[in-house]
Amino acid sequence: MGWFDYFRQGKPNSAQLAKERLQIVIAHERIDRTGPDYLPQLRRDIMDVIRKYVPITEEQVNVQYEKGADYDVLELNIALPERER
Amino acid sequence: MSRIVVVTSGKGGVGKTTTSAAFATGLAMRGYKTAVIDFDVGLRNLDLIMGCERRVVYDFVNVINGEASLKQALIRDKRTENLYILPASQTRDKDALTKEGVGQIISDLCADGFDFVVCDSPAGIERGAHMAMYFADDAVVVTNPEVSSVRDSDRILGLLQSKTQKAEQGEIVREHLLITRYSPDRVQAGEMLGMEDILEILAVPLIGVIPESQSVLQASNSGTPVILDKESDAGKAYDDFVRRFLGETVPHRFLEVEKKGFLKRLFG
C-alpha cells in the first residue's frame, strides 16, 4: 500500500458485494442439483406462465426445495410487481 | 493402505498443478511413498512444474493402452526420495482415459506399496476432471478469493458428492479447502473475499491458506516445487498444509497484514 491509497478512502466494499452475489447464485445452483431433475425446467415453465400476465424477472421467482423425512416440500415464492396506476 | 487424493478446482489457473507438486513433494519428504499423476491429457504441465520435462519417455495413456509398463512410465524424482511422477500424454485426446484403465493403474500403485496417490485434475468438469476425482478418498479443493473460482469450487463439491466411486457406494469423499493467492492487505481493504467469507459460502473444512507470493512464479520458472523454497511464505504455507493433512494441528499463518516500517508504508 503506497501513500496514494490514503486519498482513496470511502470507496464501496467490493468484497462484501462479491460475497452477497455468490451466496445468491450458489444457493440457486445447489437447489438445482440437489432437487429433482425437473426443477430447473419447472422454474422456467412457471416463469413463462406468469409472464403471460405480468412482467417479472428471474429474481422475483424463488423456488425452494426441501427434503423432509416423510415428504419433500416445493415452495414457490413469487413477488409480483406493483400495479401501475 | 494407500490414500488417493484428488487436487481439483473446476476453474483453471488457480494453482492445482502448483499445489499437486508441492503436496506430493511434502508427503514424500516425510517418508511416504508418493505418486503424482497428471490427468490433463493434451495439456500436460506437471512435468514442467516438477522439473522433469526432459525425462518423459512414456506417459499415463501409454500405460492404459498397454504400450508401456507402469514401472517404465513412472519418473523417479531426482530431488526427493519416495516421489514418482506419472506424466500425462501430450498428444492423445482425453477419451483415452477410461474408468477401467485409470482404476487399474491406481490399484497397481496401491499394490506397489504407494502410501499416497495424488491426482492432479485438469480444469473443467469434463472427462479428465471426472476421472481424476472418481477414485478419490480425499479431495483438496483449490480456490482463489475471487467470485468465479468460488462458484466453480461449489460446482466441483457437488460433483464430488455425486459422481465419485465413494458417492456411488454411499460413502463420502473427505473434502479439504485450500485457499491460494491470498492477499491479507487486499482483504483488509475490502477488495478481496476474506477466508471467513469463503468458508461461510462453501462450508468445507479449511486445510490451508497460501499467500500470494512471487516465489511461486520463481519456483515454476526453475521447475522446483515451491515447498522446497523453505524461506518463502508460500513454501512455508504449503508445508503447514501437508502437516495438517497428515493430522497435525498447525495454526494458520500469513492471514494478517504484515507490519510495515514507515518508509515501506510511504512508498509501498
Side-chain angles (χ1 to χ4, degrees), chain B residues 118-194:
Chain B
V118 177
C119 302
D120 181 21
S121 173
I125 52 173
E126 306 303 324
R127 181 161 202 91
H130 184 210
M131 284 302 106
M133 72 167 64
Y134 187 75
F135 296 97
D137 300 306
D138 294 75
V140 174
V141 178
V142 183
T143 305
N144 286 175
E146 180 268 325
V147 287
S148 51
S149 175
V150 175
R151 182 199 207 169
D152 290 358
S153 293
D154 191 69
R155 185 94 167 81
I156 281 293
L157 289 166
L159 296 177
L160 286 166
Q161 290 153 14
S162 61
K163 303 281 185 216
T164 53
Q165 192 177 49
K166 279 262 185 299
E168 286 171 6
Q169 294 168 349
E171 296 173 56
I172 50 160
V173 176
R174 274 184 300 262
E175 298 160 347
H176 314 271
L177 182 68
L178 182 74
I179 301 174
T180 56
R181 309 201 68 166
Y182 197 73
S183 300
D185 44 352
R186 301 200 72 185
V187 172
Q188 196 182 61
E191 299 172 355
M192 183 181 267
L193 285 165

Side-chain angles (χ1 to χ4, degrees), chain B:
Chain B
M1 192 56 192
S2 6
R3 246 165 110 180
I4 319 298
V5 189
V6 61
V7 176
T8 184
S9 71
K11 193 177 182 301
V14 298
K16 284 181 297 296
T17 301
T18 300
T19 297
S20 299
F23 182 42
T25 303
L27 292 169
M29 272 161 38
R30 286 177 170 75
Y32 295 100
K33 192 174 175 190
T34 304
V36 55
I37 307 179
D38 189 349
F39 276 77
D40 206 346
V41 172
L43 290 169
R44 108 172 145 220
N45 273 318
L46 180 69
D47 55 336
L48 266 183
I49 301 300
M50 296 292 302
C52 65
E53 69 277 9
R54 295 176 56 144
R55 296 168 59 211
V56 176
V57 182
Y58 295 109
D59 59 54
F60 196 7
V61 174
N62 290 140
V63 182
I64 288 179
N65 292 345
E67 295 153 2
S69 70
L70 188 55
K71 238 190 183 75
Q72 286 175 306
L74 280 175
I75 301 171
R76 179 198 277 266
D77 192 85
K78 282 201 165 152
R79 279 174 298 248
T80 313
E81 234 184 293
N82 311 311
L83 180 57
Y84 296 81
I85 301 122
L86 184 56
S89 167
Q90 189 65 317
T91 50
R92 320 287 179 105
D93 77 313
K94 288 188 202 287
D95 294 332
L97 295 183
T98 60
K99 200 178 273 181
E100 295 69 33
V102 174
Q104 185 62 51
I105 288 182
I106 287 181
S107 67
D108 286 352
L109 288 169
C110 296
D112 218 6
F114 278 89
D115 297 303
F116 289 99
V117 178
V118 177
C119 302
D120 181 21
S121 173
I125 52 173
E126 306 303 324
R127 181 161 202 91
H130 184 210
M131 284 302 106
M133 72 167 64
Y134 187 75
F135 296 97
D137 300 306
D138 294 75
V140 174
V141 178
V142 183
T143 305
N144 286 175
E146 180 268 325
V147 287
S148 51
S149 175
V150 175
R151 182 199 207 169
D152 290 358
S153 293
D154 191 69
R155 185 94 167 81
I156 281 293
L157 289 166
L159 296 177
L160 286 166
Q161 290 153 14
S162 61
K163 303 281 185 216
T164 53
Q165 192 177 49
K166 279 262 185 299
E168 286 171 6
Q169 294 168 349
E171 296 173 56
I172 50 160
V173 176
R174 274 184 300 262
E175 298 160 347
H176 314 271
L177 182 68
L178 182 74
I179 301 174
T180 56
R181 309 201 68 166
Y182 197 73
S183 300
D185 44 352
R186 301 200 72 185
V187 172
Q188 196 182 61
E191 299 172 355
M192 183 181 267
L193 285 165
M195 179 262 283
E196 288 95 350
D197 297 333
I198 300 172
L199 286 178
E200 192 185 324
I201 294 165
L202 293 178
V204 172
L206 182 72
I207 193 143
V209 180
I210 313 297
E212 175 77 65
S213 166
Q214 297 182 347
S215 54
V216 173
L217 181 61
Q218 282 166 2
S220 77
N221 285 344
S222 62
T224 316
V226 69
I227 198 168
L228 294 175
D229 182 355
K230 294 189 167 65
E231 300 304 306
S232 75
D233 287 356
K236 290 178 199 166
Y238 270 119
D239 200 64
D240 289 356
F241 149 59
V242 174
R243 288 169 58 196
R244 277 185 213 109
F245 187 86
L246 292 170
E248 285 182 51
T249 307
V250 184
H252 290 279
R253 295 193 267 178
F254 315 113
L255 296 175
E256 301 303 326
V257 178
E258 206 186 322
K259 295 250 187 321
K260 286 179 177 175
F262 174 72
L263 281 177
K264 215 172 176 188
R265 249 194 296 168
L266 212 54
F267 299 108

